Amino acid sequence: MSTRQSTMPLRPDLLIARPRLLKALNESMRDARVAAIWAPAGSGKSALLSQWVATLDADVPVIDASDEAEAVEAIAAIDASAEGYLVVDQVDRAPAPVREALLAVLERGLPQVRIVMAGRFDPFPPSVSRRMSMRELREADLAFSAAEIERYLGDAERTLDTLQAERVRVRTGGWAAALVLLKQVLGTGDDDAVIDRFDGDSRPVADYLVSELLEQLPPLDRDVLVWAAVDARVPLVLAAALTDRADAGAVLDRAVSANSLMSRIDDVYVFHPVLATFLGAEQRRRNIVRAREGHRHASAWFERSGALVRALDHLVRAEDDDALAVFLDDHGYALIFHGESGAVMRAVRRLDPAHRRRIDADMRLVMDVPHFAERERAAHRLAARTASQPDSAPTAVDRIVDLLWSHATGRPDPAARDALSMTDTALLPPAVGLFLEIALAWTDPVVDDDDRLRASERLIAVGARSEAAGPHRWLRLLALESALSVVASASRWVDVEPVFRALAREMVSDADPADSVATRAVFARAAHAFHRGESLPATLARIADARQAVVEPAMQHMARTLTALDGVDRCPGATSLTVLTETIEDELADWPVALSYAAVPWMYSALWHGDIPLTDRILVRCERVLGVRSMEFLTVAFLRRPERDTERALSRALEKGATKVSPLAPAYAWTALALHADARGQESRATDRIVSALMCASPLGAVRPFLQESRRPAMIIRDRIDRLGRWRPLGDAVLAHDRVTSTALPQAALTPRERELVRELPAHQSIPDIAVRRQVSVNTVKTQLQSIYGKLGVTSRADAVTAARELGLL
C-alpha cells in the first residue's frame, strides 16, 4: 500500500457547535464527576471539547495527553488543588506516566474536581466504581443528524435540501471528518453529482483514512482488515475464510477496541459506510483478481444463508456474468416479489448482451403486469423470452404472465385460466402462489360494477394476506394498485376509499423508479393527496425527474403533470401556468390520463390569466385526445364559452354518465355549472349543483375541484354551508383549507349581471363586441362598467381586472 499524507487536519473551527452535544456534556457534568468521549478519529471530539470549554465561565485549557510534560503538570495541579475542571484530549495516545497519573485522580474521586476526557478508546482497565461515576458519549452520539448536516453544509451561497442532507447522512454515516471534506468540494460542480461521487474512495477521504487509521495498525493487522471488508457487515466465519487467518477475529477485535470506525454485534463485524467503501476500493487497488474472488466467495456464503440481496450485490461486484445470469434465473423473481426490483434490474444492466436480452425480458415482463401499458415493448419481450427458451417448459411465473398478457390484449384464454385456477398453490413457493391469486382476481370475467367491486375486494384481501405471510412487499403493492385500477373502472367511486386507505399504509418513500408497480403506487398516493389538497409525497419528484431514464415515459409524464398542477395550486401565477403548459404540450401531450387530470385546472388557470389563445389550444387538444363526448372536454368547452348550448351539453353528459378518465370529472363539471348558475343569480340551481359536486367529490375526500384560483366555488359553499346536508363535512374541509383561509373570501358586492360582465373583461374585447355578445346596447355595457369601476374603486378596465382577481371574482 502506498503511503498517503492527509491533506487536511480536522480543525475545530470547521465544525458547527451542536447544542444537543453541549447539552449532553453539561448534563454529564451535573450528574457525574467524569465525562468521557470515546469515538474514532475524525468524529469531532476535539472540536466538541473546545466548544464546550468556551461556554464555561472559567478559563479552562484543553490538555493534550500525548504531551507528557504538559499533561503530568496539569494533572498534578488539579490533584493538589482538589477542585476545578480537568479537560484532557487524546487520552488513547497518553504515555504510561500520564495514564497512571490520570488514573490515580480518577480513582481518588475528588468531589470538587470535574474531569472531561476524550480519545479514540478507553485506555484504562475496567473499574466498577469509575464506571458508576462516569458518563460517556460515543460514536453514535457524535454522528451528525440529517438536520445538522443540512445546517452545516448549507450557507449563504448554497442551500442543501432535506433529501440531499439525508443522502449525505447515509453515505457518510454522519462522520464529521467526511463532512468537513465534503464541504470543501461542494460547489465545484453540480451538488447532486458531487454528493453521489463522494464516498470512502474519494481521494481526500482515502488520504485521511490511510494516515489516521490504517497506518496506525501493524502491517499484518492491516491486511486482515482490508481483505475481510467485502461487506459493511461481515460474519466472523466469513472473515476467517476470506483472509485465510484463524486469528482474523482477534485482529478485528483489536480494531474494534481501537475504535477504528468498526463495531461488533454478536459474531458480526460492522464497518462504517465510509470505511467499508474505502477498504473495498483498497482491495481493488491491491489485487483486482483476489478482490473479485472475495466477492464470489461472499456471494455464495450469503446465498446459502438466504440473504439474497447481499448475495446479488457481491456477485455483481465479482463481475462474473455467467454466475450472475444463473443467480438471476434462480432468484430473480423471488427478489422482485420481495420488493428488490431495483437491485435486480441494476444487476441485469451489468450483464453482457448475450445474457442481458433474455433476462431483461423475463424480469421486466413480471414488473409490467398486469397493465402492460407499453404493449409493443411487452410483445417484443415475450418474443425474446420465447426465442431464448425454445426447449424449456414454461415456469409457473411464465404461465401467469402469459395469462395476464392475453387478458391485457383482449384475447382471454379460458383454458389457460382454468388450468391455473386448479393449481395447488400449496405446491408453489408462497410468493408465486400470491402472484397467481392476483392474476386470477385480475382476469376474472367482468360484467358490471358489482363484479369489479368483488374483484377489488379479492385483491385487497390478497394484499392483506401477503402482509401476514411475510415480506412480499412488491406483491402487496401489486395487489393494492391492481385493486385501485379495478375499482376505478366502476362508476361507484364510493368504494375506492378503502383501497386508498390500504395503499396509504404502504411505505413507498424508498420506491425505486425502475419498478413500475412501485411508481404506479406512488402516483396513486400522490394523486389522492393532490385531490385532498395535501402535500405531494417527496418520492414523486424522483419519478418526475427527467434524468431518470429507468422510469416508464408515460408514468414520468403523469408525475411531471401532477407536480406542475401542484405548482399552479401552490404558487398561482404566469410562471406556474407556463410550466404546466410546457409539461402538457411536450412529446407525451396525447397521453389521455395525464390530460384528463390537468384539463379543467389548466383551463381555469388560462382563463384566470386572460390567455385566450391558450384556452383555444386547450380546447383543441382535449377534443383530439379525449374526444368531444368526454366529460372533461365538455367541461372545458363550457368554461371557455359558458353559453346555453355548452351548458345543455354538459348537463346531458352528467345525466347520462358520459365517458370520463379522471375520477373527479363529474365534480369539476358540477362545480363549473354551479359557478355559472350563481353568476346569473340562479340561487336554487347553484345550490343543487354545488351539492352534486360535493357528492361526487366526497368518496375521495377531494377538495381540489373547489380550490380553483378564483376561490369562487368556496364562496358558493360558504354562502350555502347550512344547506349542504350530509355533504357539509366536506364543505367545512374546503373552507378550512389554507388556500381559502389565507385570504378572506370577498362578499358579493356586484350584481349577478355585473359579475358576469367582469368575466368578459380579460378577453380584451371591445365594448361593441361585448354588447353584441351579450345582446344588449353599447350604453348598457358602459353603464354596467361604470358601476363595476365604482364598486371596485378603480378607474380603468385593466385595474378592474386586477381588482377582480384579487377579490376572487375571476
Side-chain angles (χ1 to χ4, degrees):
M1 181 192 309
S2 59
T3 301
R4 306 183 187 196
Q5 295 298 321
S6 176
T7 58
M8 188 281 310
L10 184 63
R11 301 193 306 273
D13 60 302
L14 289 176
L15 295 177
I16 61 170
R18 288 182 282 167
R20 66 176 177 87
L21 293 180
L22 299 175
K23 180 181 178 182
L25 262 183
N26 284 324
E27 290 176 349
S28 299
M29 286 291 90
R30 186 181 65 243
D31 299 338
R33 292 182 297 100
V34 182
I37 307 171
W38 309 127
S43 296
K45 301 181 295 294
S46 300
L48 176 58
L49 287 181
S50 298
Q51 291 158 0
W52 177 73
V53 166
T55 67
L56 302 177
D57 294 334
D59 184 12
V60 179
V62 179
I63 307 303
D64 187 339
S66 63
D67 186 334
E68 182 174 342
E70 180 187 23
V72 169
E73 180 181 353
I75 294 170
I78 197 74
D79 193 14
S81 65
E83 63 178 358
Y85 285 96
L86 178 62
V87 181
V88 188
D89 197 8
Q90 307 284 359
V91 175
D92 57 300
R93 298 186 178 185
V98 175
R99 289 202 305 272
E100 291 170 3
L102 184 56
L103 183 60
V105 174
L106 291 171
E107 295 292 352
R108 201 156 18 252
L110 302 174
Q112 300 304 315
V113 173
R114 294 291 183 267
I115 300 174
V116 180
M117 303 180 293
R120 298 186 184 184
F121 56 89
D122 185 349
F124 302 113
S127 167
V128 175
S129 61
R130 191 171 70 252
R131 290 288 179 190
M132 292 180 64
S133 65
M134 183 168 68
R135 299 292 182 269
E136 294 181 330
L137 295 177
R138 294 192 172 269
E139 177 185 1
D141 301 304
L142 268 62
F144 277 63
S145 67
E148 290 170 334
I149 290 171
E150 192 173 347
R151 288 197 300 273
Y152 174 59
L153 294 181
D155 53 35
E157 299 179 356
R158 177 193 309 108
T159 300
L160 204 71
D161 63 40
T162 303
L163 289 177
Q164 288 175 318
E166 179 59 23
R167 282 166 52 212
V168 171
R169 187 196 66 78
V170 171
R171 296 185 76 82
T172 65
W175 185 42
L179 298 176
V180 171
L181 294 165
L182 177 58
K183 189 165 188 176
Q184 293 181 344
V185 296
L186 278 176
T188 59
D190 178 70
D191 281 352
D192 282 325
V194 170
I195 291 170
D196 287 339
R197 289 195 304 266
F198 188 86
D199 56 28
D201 196 27
S202 301
R203 179 58 187 264
V205 179
D207 288 345
Y208 187 86
L209 287 170
V210 167
S211 62
E212 295 292 334
L213 193 153
L214 285 193
E215 289 185 349
Q216 309 300 319
L217 301 174
L220 291 178
D221 287 9
R222 194 183 306 166
D223 288 346
V224 170
L225 183 64
V226 168
W227 292 111
V230 294
D231 195 83
R233 299 170 64 89
V234 179
L236 172 59
V237 176
L238 179 58
L242 290 168
T243 59
D244 199 23
R245 289 273 298 270
D247 64 339
V251 173
L252 295 175
D253 284 340
R254 286 197 293 271
V256 170
S257 300
N259 239 341
S260 302
L261 290 172
M262 288 178 59
S263 61
R264 178 173 174 171
I265 302 176
D266 297 326
D267 285 335
V268 176
Y269 294 95
V270 181
F271 295 82
H272 188 282
V274 172
L275 178 62
T277 307
F278 163 71
L279 292 176
E282 187 64 30
Q283 291 175 3
R284 295 190 295 275
R285 282 190 287 267
R286 285 185 171 201
N287 187 329
I288 186 65
V289 175
R290 181 177 176 183
R292 289 171 178 168
E293 184 57 37
H295 286 300
R296 273 193 292 270
H297 192 116
S299 177
W301 197 92
F302 284 119
E303 183 178 6
R304 290 193 298 271
S305 304
L308 296 181
V309 178
R310 294 169 75 182
L312 175 62
D313 176 60
H314 284 289
L315 208 48
V316 168
R317 289 195 273 172
E319 300 183 37
D320 185 337
D321 283 357
D322 291 337
L324 180 57
V326 171
F327 183 91
L328 289 171
D329 280 333
D330 291 342
H331 304 296
Y333 292 150
L335 284 166
I336 289 175
F337 291 156
H338 282 74
E340 300 296 340
S341 56
V344 170
M345 297 317 300
R346 282 189 290 273
V348 170
R349 288 197 292 271
R350 298 288 294 270
L351 288 169
D352 61 70
H355 293 104
R356 187 190 311 134
R357 187 164 183 263
R358 173 182 60 82
I359 297 179
D360 180 80
D362 285 349
M363 300 301 113
R364 287 201 179 275
L365 281 170
V366 171
M367 288 198 297
D368 284 347
V369 299
H371 301 278
F372 291 108
E374 304 272 349
R375 296 288 172 82
E376 185 176 352
R377 190 175 300 179
H380 287 313
R381 288 171 182 155
L382 282 160
R385 185 191 69 183
T386 303
S388 64
Q389 302 172 330
D391 301 322
S392 302
T395 66
V397 174
D398 293 335
R399 293 199 302 274
I400 296 169
V401 169
D402 290 340
L403 173 66
L404 291 166
W405 171 254
S406 66
H407 179 80
T409 53
R411 297 188 298 271
D413 187 347
R417 190 181 187 283
D418 291 343
L420 282 170
S421 64
M422 295 178 65
T423 301
D424 186 354
T425 55
L427 301 177
L428 298 173
V432 179
L434 289 168
F435 188 41
L436 175 57
E437 289 190 62
I438 293 170
L440 293 175
W442 179 260
T443 58
D444 206 19
V446 171
V447 175
D448 53 25
D449 282 354
D450 289 336
D451 291 335
R452 293 185 180 92
L453 297 177
R454 279 193 291 271
S456 175
E457 290 168 358
R458 285 178 61 189
L459 288 164
I460 294 174
V462 172
R465 194 157 61 255
S466 68
E467 184 173 11
H472 298 130
R473 176 184 179 187
W474 186 87
L475 287 165
R476 192 161 61 249
L477 276 178
L478 176 63
L480 295 176
E481 193 276 330
S482 299
L484 182 61
S485 298
V486 169
V487 77
S489 63
S491 59
R492 298 203 303 262
W493 267 87
V494 70
D495 298 286
V496 79
E497 189 62 26
V499 189
F500 273 123
R501 283 200 300 269
L503 263 177
R505 291 193 292 270
E506 291 299 312
M507 296 295 293
V508 292
S509 58
D510 59 345
D512 194 304
D515 186 343
S516 56
V517 171
T519 55
R520 290 199 300 264
V522 169
F523 181 80
R525 289 270 297 273
H528 193 215
F530 178 76
H531 294 329
R532 295 172 66 88
E534 301 166 354
S535 299
L536 300 184
T539 40
L540 189 71
R542 291 207 298 270
I543 299 172
D545 189 346
R547 295 172 296 182
Q548 287 283 5
V550 295
V551 181
E552 288 182 4
M555 182 57 64
Q556 189 171 75
H557 180 68
M558 289 172 64
R560 291 176 59 209
T561 300
L562 193 58
T563 302
L565 281 169
D566 186 58
V568 168
D569 178 67
R570 288 184 297 100
C571 305
T575 301
S576 297
L577 175 59
T578 299
V579 171
L580 176 61
T581 301
E582 290 175 350
T583 300
I584 295 176
E585 292 185 337
D586 72 1
E587 69 278 4
L588 281 171
D590 291 349
W591 185 252
V593 177
L595 184 58
S596 70
Y597 272 95
V600 177
W602 191 19
M603 178 62 82
Y604 268 121
S605 187
L607 288 169
W608 169 270
H609 291 283
D611 193 338
I612 301 305
L614 176 57
T615 63
D616 291 336
R617 297 209 312 269
I618 295 171
L619 199 60
V620 170
R621 188 171 300 278
C622 289
E623 178 180 357
R624 188 182 74 248
V625 177
L626 301 175
V628 294
R629 295 184 178 181
S630 70
M631 196 171 295
E632 290 89 351
F633 168 78
L634 293 171
T635 303
V636 297
F638 172 69
L639 289 172
R640 175 64 183 88
R641 298 189 183 280
E643 299 169 349
R644 181 170 297 179
D645 57 337
T646 55
E647 179 185 13
R648 186 181 298 114
L650 182 57
S651 298
R652 279 201 304 266
L654 286 165
E655 292 169 3
K656 295 181 179 181
T659 60
K660 62 184 184 299
V661 181
S662 168
L664 288 179
Y668 279 112
W670 281 119
T671 301
L673 290 171
L675 290 172
H676 184 65
D678 184 64
R680 291 180 172 276
Q682 298 168 344
E683 176 75 14
S684 177
R685 182 173 293 183
T687 301
D688 291 342
R689 288 173 171 180
I690 203 67
V691 168
S692 296
L694 289 167
M695 179 179 67
C696 293
S698 182
L700 292 175
V703 300
R704 186 65 52 190
F706 314 102
L707 300 179
Q708 304 311 314
E709 293 188 62
S710 67
R711 303 187 311 285
R712 289 179 60 224
M715 286 191 290
I716 296 175
I717 291 173
R718 181 203 61 190
D719 294 342
R720 296 160 174 79
I721 193 66
D722 293 328
R723 286 177 277 170
L724 302 182
R726 60 183 294 195
W727 315 117
R728 175 160 182 170
L730 183 57
D732 289 334
V734 172
L735 297 179
H737 194 272
D738 291 344
R739 282 285 311 280
V740 177
T741 58
S742 59
T743 304
L745 293 176
Q747 300 299 320
L750 305 181
T751 67
R753 294 295 183 186
E754 290 170 345
R755 287 160 63 186
E756 190 174 341
L757 177 56
V758 165
R759 295 183 66 190
E760 301 278 356
L761 299 184
H764 307 295
Q765 303 170 84
S766 67
I767 290 179
D769 288 340
I770 294 176
V772 170
R773 180 179 175 78
R774 295 171 61 79
Q775 298 180 353
V776 296
S777 69
V778 170
N779 287 335
T780 299
V781 175
K782 289 180 178 179
T783 301
Q784 290 177 341
L785 282 176
Q786 290 303 316
S787 175
I788 290 170
Y789 293 168
K791 291 178 179 180
L792 297 181
V794 299
T795 58
S796 70
R797 183 169 172 175
D799 290 342
V801 171
T802 300
R805 283 175 177 163
E806 291 175 352
L807 291 172
L809 297 174
L810 289 178

